[in-house]
Amino acid sequence: MTSVPFPTAKPRIRTLLVDDEPLARERMRMLLARHPDVEVLAECADGAEAVGVIDALAPDLVFLDVEMPRLTGFDVLQNIDETHLPSVVFVSGHDKYAVRAFETHAVDYLLKPVAADRVDRTLTRIRERRAEAARGSVAEPALQGLLAQLRGDAGTEAPVSEHRRTNRLAVKSEGRLVLLHVDDVEWVEASGNYVQVHAQGATYTMRETMKRMEERLDPTRFVRIHRGSIVNVDRIKALEPWLHGEYVVILHDGTRLAASRVYVGRLNAIIRN
């Protein structure tokens, strides 16, 4: 008699929700209930509680709010037992932490209010990772990298005001975050407390200041030509002299931008190089 194997059930994804907003936890719980293989073990209302629960329950996955009282989401990861490192999805009402999350190997970054399709895609990614290799007692390499960068050699976190040069930007597009490579950026313009990033014929919004954008972009490739604009040098087609030592910068797509006299020296220096 030949035995017929029973279908193997999907391994359950043991999940923890960490958010100081009850409505946010309720919405996430509702979205996760659509996935039979997701088991919500517990909910935490602050970071300090989350540290203890993660160490006690060793969940597979944590949806972790960034901004919370007492401990932030990043603080939580610095304080948990390294033998219990789960996969982490950061959740926030703001996109200003997105670049840091992506650069520090987060599995995903969700913006509130969280959309159902974004949760679906995140869980698909989690399932694929779990299928590729068993977690066992070894922490996910990406999260190990996150902790190494968070803790640093001296065990302290770099000041928020310090920004590393980046090769990609997390920008808003139709309610979701898109990773945009800086090579595709044509120019950046100021827009109140935001900046507008022009790339590949589209315009994206970031909550960032021009000063910080200037610090984050490679100064050999991007130059500030005006108080309200930064340009990718490779996208400059021509310069037209204007009044009082100023220029009009013409990009390959035909965009015309004013280069004020204050910034002309920088523009000349980088172009001559």
Side-chain angles (χ1 to χ4, degrees):
M1 179 177 178
T2 304
S3 60
V4 178
F6 288 99
T8 303
K10 281 185 179 180
R12 298 184 72 77
I13 305 173
R14 302 168 65 256
T15 302
L16 177 67
L17 307 183
V18 183
D19 200 306
D20 63 321
E21 300 176 11
L23 290 178
R25 297 197 305 272
E26 181 181 350
R27 176 169 177 78
M28 185 62 72
R29 187 170 61 250
M30 177 189 71
L31 295 175
L32 294 176
R34 300 159 52 248
H35 298 267
D37 59 334
V38 176
E39 176 187 2
V40 177
L41 300 176
E43 300 178 18
C44 299
D46 62 63
E49 180 187 9
V51 171
V53 173
I54 291 172
D55 288 345
L57 300 182
D60 303 316
L61 173 63
V62 177
F63 285 90
L64 184 59
D65 188 19
V66 176
E67 293 182 300
M68 294 181 292
R70 300 174 64 188
L71 294 178
T72 69
F74 294 111
D75 293 333
V76 169
L77 295 183
Q78 290 179 265
N79 285 277
I80 60 178
D81 187 337
E82 291 194 23
T83 63
H84 294 162
L85 293 180
S87 296
V88 172
V89 176
F90 287 108
V91 184
S92 177
H94 309 282
D95 61 355
K96 61 184 177 181
Y97 304 104
V99 171
R100 181 182 178 193
F102 282 123
E103 289 181 346
T104 53
H105 315 290
V107 174
D108 209 341
Y109 186 98
L110 304 180
L111 275 178
K112 298 177 183 178
V114 178
D117 63 325
R118 287 292 288 115
V119 172
D120 295 346
R121 292 201 297 272
T122 296
L123 290 174
T124 296
R125 188 175 303 161
I126 293 292
R127 293 184 188 105
E128 290 171 350
R129 291 191 177 205
R130 284 163 61 86
E132 289 172 1
R135 287 179 68 247
S137 60
V138 180
E140 184 179 347
L143 195 55
Q144 290 281 23
L146 165 61
L147 284 180
Q149 291 187 32
L150 284 175
R151 288 170 176 158
D153 294 337
T156 58
E157 190 176 342
V160 175
S161 60
E162 293 182 9
H163 289 266
R164 294 171 296 174
R165 305 297 180 199
T166 185
N167 288 322
R168 55 185 181 175
L169 302 171
V171 296
K172 278 186 179 180
S173 177
E174 299 178 350
R176 63 193 181 98
L177 286 173
V178 174
L179 283 181
L180 186 67
H181 201 282
V182 294
D183 287 344
D184 296 323
V185 175
E186 294 151 8
W187 66 290
V188 180
E189 67 174 319
S191 180
N193 293 327
Y194 296 81
V195 295
Q196 301 289 331
V197 179
H198 299 268
Q200 299 178 316
T203 302
Y204 304 94
T205 301
M206 287 183 65
R207 187 176 180 85
E208 191 63 283
T209 65
M210 289 294 284
K211 181 177 185 298
R212 289 188 175 182
M213 283 296 293
E214 189 176 14
E215 291 171 351
R216 289 172 55 188
L217 294 171
D218 184 348
T220 66
R221 301 168 61 195
F222 289 85
V223 59
R224 191 165 185 175
I225 63 170
H226 190 275
R227 183 176 60 183
S229 52
I230 298 171
V231 173
N232 183 338
V233 176
D234 291 337
R235 303 303 176 116
I236 296 176
K237 180 180 180 181
L239 299 178
E240 288 185 358
W242 193 240
L243 301 175
H244 309 298
E246 298 182 345
Y247 284 89
V248 174
V249 177
I250 304 173
L251 306 187
H252 285 284
D253 67 356
T255 299
R256 299 172 68 89
L257 303 170
S260 67
R261 186 169 51 183
V262 174
Y263 296 96
V264 163
R266 301 184 193 180
L267 180 61
N268 286 334
I270 196 170
I271 289 177
R272 288 169 182 169
N273 289 336

